[in-house]
Amino acid sequence: MKKTLLITALSAGALAVATHAYAGSNVDPEKDRKQFVEFIMAKAPKVPFEDYRLGAYVYNADKKAQYEAVNEFPPYLDAIDAGEELWTKDKAVYEKCFGSDVSKIRPKYPYFDDKRGEVVTLELAINECRKNAGLKPFKWGTGNIARLSAYLAYNARGQKINVKIDSEGAKKAYNAGRDLFTKPHGQLNLSCAKCHAYNAGRRARANILSPALGHVTHFPVWRAKWNHLGTIEKRYVGCMKNMRWDPKTVGGMQSKAFRNLEFFEAYLSNGLEIDGPDYRE
Amino acid sequence: MKNKMIHALAATAVAATMLGAPMASQAASADEAKMIAEGKKIAFSRSKGNCLACHMIKGGSLPGNIGPALIAMKLRYPDKQKLRDKIWGKPELEVKYSMMPPFGRHAILSEDQIDKVVEFIYSL
């Protein structure tokens, strides 16, 4: 059986010599996901699967307690209200695109659209809906796009991530996202996987590294560091900048590459509860 | 193998000269102290080496725990050049999937900065 890149990395561990021959991957997504979940869960056998929506907080009781304290009066409540106002303001437009049940929208995204041959994220769909109705699209990353996304996430809380891959195109998108995640990029020669797979649970200075399992569950996120709400793509941009990897080289927010990355990460989190918006340090 | 021999011979030669010339070695050690101090600054700076992101290093606060603690480096690297090659990022010393950035190969630090960092790390 051919081992996948993520898993080879774990078993080969520190002994293998780098060849930099990272071939484009073509793995079976479901097998890959299961191996990944198993690998992450083996690092912390006491953490139940459901808890991975909590990100790095699963690894540290003190930080988790701080997080829980903040969530007694969450800083993102106003943003949910603002999202609801946005929805109400252009309700007729949104209902035509998404239907009228606001609890059923967030769980459909991201998905692979076979007709278009690409991944559609919730934020992309929102802005396309606006554009088609003659409304100005929102700016990516923060602001109204995050507020509306937060309102839709909030109404879908408790439902499970359930990304489907049942076409060759969807499988390709998963693999493309996976390549982006596993290959070293940027001046520091880092990859997402180095931090959020192989070294998940370890500390980079005082920051505990979260596993990719659970990355998508709780977005958009209110980060203390930002002091506002941001989408997952804003977070990707932040991590890429830390890697000294210019996000523009792969097209930036809502480019095909970014959407493939989100699709890959979302698929890994299948079965976890939607929990957005949430707070992070 | 051949390389190692040459390094070993070179090391003996250096040691012999130093023994034979204590004056020169004192001057060298003042220079060395300056190198070490500058190397420490570069190693600890978040925008330069940022070694503490991953390594425990004596004298640094809030270290990460991704890489091994950098202690007793002379013991682990009898050959100083090999330590430099490791930090520089010689491909044959690279550990696959490791977070360790190739500081020279990717021009994260200049050759001169790497020399200084090596002096500092070697003093640990």
Side-chain angles (χ1 to χ4, degrees):
Chain A
M1 200 188 77
K2 211 178 115 202
K3 281 188 188 166
T4 65
L5 180 59
L6 283 173
I7 300 307
T8 316
L10 320 171
S11 42
L15 292 172
V17 172
T19 56
H20 294 292
Y22 290 90
S25 65
N26 181 27
V27 300
D28 173 57
E30 188 53 14
K31 226 189 268 168
D32 196 44
R33 185 189 68 80
K34 284 196 180 126
Q35 284 182 330
F36 183 74
V37 171
E38 213 174 281
F39 165 66
I40 293 298
M41 290 193 71
K43 285 174 178 266
K46 287 199 188 119
V47 176
F49 178 73
E50 316 74 90
D51 279 13
Y52 281 95
R53 65 189 168 76
L54 297 173
Y57 299 124
V58 299
Y59 296 122
N60 186 290
D62 286 349
K63 289 203 175 189
K64 193 172 165 199
Q66 276 170 28
Y67 156 82
E68 281 166 351
V70 171
N71 265 351
E72 280 175 30
F73 300 99
Y76 49 75
L77 291 182
D78 288 349
I80 298 173
D81 288 345
E84 180 167 15
E85 274 169 38
L86 289 166
W87 178 269
T88 312
K89 190 169 156 232
D90 294 310
K91 196 170 175 177
V93 169
Y94 295 132
E95 286 193 346
K96 234 171 113 186
C97 302
F98 300 106
S100 56
D101 187 344
V102 289
S103 74
K104 296 222 167 86
I105 301 167
R106 164 66 182 87
K108 288 186 194 145
Y109 297 88
Y111 72 94
F112 186 81
D113 186 326
D114 280 308
K115 267 192 236 124
R116 291 173 59 161
E118 59 182 338
V119 172
V120 179
T121 61
L122 176 60
E123 286 83 8
L124 183 78
I126 289 173
N127 265 349
E128 288 186 347
C129 178
R130 291 181 62 82
K131 239 191 290 184
N132 292 338
L135 298 172
K136 209 171 149 230
F138 296 134
K139 180 170 81 62
W140 300 128
T142 63
N144 284 343
I145 194 81
R147 293 185 188 113
L148 194 50
S149 171
Y151 171 65
L152 296 174
Y154 185 70
N155 277 288
R157 272 192 182 177
Q159 296 177 61
K160 288 183 175 157
I161 307 271
N162 182 21
V163 175
K164 293 191 187 73
I165 296 185
D166 42 24
S167 70
E168 211 30 55
K171 187 180 162 196
K172 272 206 184 115
Y174 176 90
N175 276 283
R178 185 180 190 278
D179 282 346
L180 214 73
F181 186 87
T182 41
K183 285 181 190 171
H185 287 283
Q187 192 188 27
L188 297 178
N189 205 35
L190 294 171
S191 63
C192 315
K194 286 184 183 181
C195 285
H196 298 297
Y198 321 140
N199 288 296
R202 293 215 175 94
R203 269 180 295 109
R205 292 242 187 202
N207 299 310
I208 301 168
L209 298 167
S210 59
L213 173 63
H215 264 179
V216 304
T217 50
H218 52 286
F219 274 84
V221 140
W222 181 285
R223 271 192 87 194
K225 195 183 146 197
W226 298 337
N227 204 27
H228 61 239
L229 199 68
T231 64
I232 194 158
E233 298 212 316
K234 180 176 159 94
R235 194 56 163 103
Y236 289 168
V237 164
C239 281
M240 288 163 100
K241 287 190 173 156
N242 288 340
M243 296 160 76
R244 302 191 190 164
W245 177 22
D246 183 352
K248 287 202 278 297
T249 58
V250 292
M253 288 199 263
Q254 295 300 337
S255 62
K256 221 168 176 178
F258 266 61
R259 282 179 279 136
N260 287 339
L261 180 60
E262 185 179 332
F263 187 67
F264 164 76
E265 283 214 306
Y267 189 80
L268 288 185
S269 291
N270 268 353
L272 289 173
E273 273 182 21
I274 292 169
D275 191 27
D278 204 1
Y279 166 84
R280 289 289 183 271
E281 260 183 35
Chain B
M1 202 49 218
K2 214 177 206 171
N3 258 332
K4 259 196 189 141
M5 292 276 289
I6 292 168
H7 278 310
L9 285 173
T12 336
V14 170
T17 354
M18 290 205 353
L19 281 174
M23 297 290 285
S25 101
Q26 257 167 22
S29 73
D31 266 6
E32 224 177 83
K34 197 171 152 240
M35 287 268 279
I36 290 173
E38 285 174 20
K40 181 174 177 176
K41 243 191 227 156
I42 296 162
F44 284 10
S45 150
R46 276 171 210 263
S47 61
K48 296 198 177 96
N50 201 16
C51 314
L52 286 169
C54 300
H55 296 281
M56 205 276 287
I57 302 172
K58 202 175 148 221
S61 55
L62 282 181
N65 62 359
I66 291 163
L70 298 180
I71 43 170
M73 294 317 286
K74 287 193 185 92
L75 218 68
R76 280 149 76 184
Y77 286 85
D79 178 357
K80 194 175 178 179
Q81 181 60 39
K82 194 162 173 202
L83 176 66
R84 192 184 192 281
D85 290 348
K86 173 74 198 174
I87 295 169
W88 190 88
K90 277 260 169 89
E92 60 271 27
L93 293 177
E94 195 173 315
V95 173
K96 200 171 189 181
Y97 307 115
S98 164
M99 291 257 276
M100 175 72 188
F103 285 96
R105 181 156 57 83
H106 276 216
I108 302 163
L109 296 176
S110 71
E111 296 299 324
D112 177 58
Q113 286 173 325
I114 291 174
D115 286 340
K116 288 170 178 162
V117 167
V118 170
E119 286 308 322
F120 166 58
I121 299 295
Y122 214 55
S123 76
L124 295 167

